Amino acid sequence: QVQLVESGGGSVEAGGSLRLSCAASGYIDPSYSMGWFRQAPGKEREGVATIDPYSLTLYVEAVRGRFTISKDNGKKILYLQMNSLKPEDTAMYYCAAGEMFTVVAGDWWRYWGQGTQVTVSS
C-alpha cells in the first residue's frame, strides 16, 4: 500500500523560506512523476511543481525562480524548497505521484498525501 506523508510546513514571514518533504512508502511505479500541489481556502487545488523519473522539472509561473522541486530516490523522499515566500503562497501543500508529467491536477495523479499547512504572513 502506497503512503505519501508530507512534513515541513509552518508559519513564516514574507520573504522567508521553508522546505517541504514528502516521504513515500510502498511500491510506486518507477515511471511515475511526483508533484507538489496546493489548495488555499475557497480555491481549487492547483499544481506547483512536478519532477519526472529523469529529474526533469516543471513549475507554474507563480513559483518559478522561487521554488525548487527535487527528490532523493534512495530515500524515497520528495522535496520542495520554497524561498522568497509571499502571503499568496499560503495554502495546504500536497504531494502526489502519477503517470503524467504535468503540473495540472487531475485523475492521473494516483496517490496523494494528507497535506502540510504553509502560512505566510505579511
Side-chain angles (χ1 to χ4, degrees):
Q1 183 176 357
V2 173
Q3 281 193 317
L4 300 176
V5 180
E6 301 93 337
S7 61
S11 297
V12 296
E13 293 185 351
S17 298
L18 285 172
R19 189 177 79 157
L20 305 184
S21 299
C22 171
S25 61
Y27 177 78
I28 297 176
D29 192 315
S31 69
Y32 277 19
S33 295
M34 300 290 294
W36 286 100
F37 298 81
R38 65 187 181 185
Q39 187 168 18
K43 295 187 176 182
E44 292 188 355
R45 189 171 297 187
E46 64 176 1
V48 175
T50 60
I51 186 166
D52 82 348
Y54 306 99
S55 295
L56 294 176
T57 58
L58 286 173
Y59 297 91
V60 294
E61 183 61 32
V63 308
R64 191 174 294 122
R66 299 188 297 123
F67 291 10
T68 302
I69 188 171
S70 62
K71 60 181 179 174
D72 184 324
N73 288 327
K75 296 181 179 178
K76 298 176 70 174
I77 300 178
L78 179 73
Y79 300 102
L80 185 68
Q81 178 67 44
M82 305 186 296
N83 299 328
S84 302
L85 282 161
K86 303 176 181 180
E88 51 263 44
D89 295 318
T90 295
M92 185 72 79
Y93 282 71
Y94 301 87
C95 67
E99 59 186 356
M100 288 188 65
F101 180 46
T102 174
V103 291
V104 179
D107 292 341
W108 44 83
W109 292 100
R110 183 172 180 181
Y111 305 109
W112 290 89
Q114 294 300 306
T116 186
Q117 178 67 38
V118 172
T119 302
V120 184
S121 60
S122 58

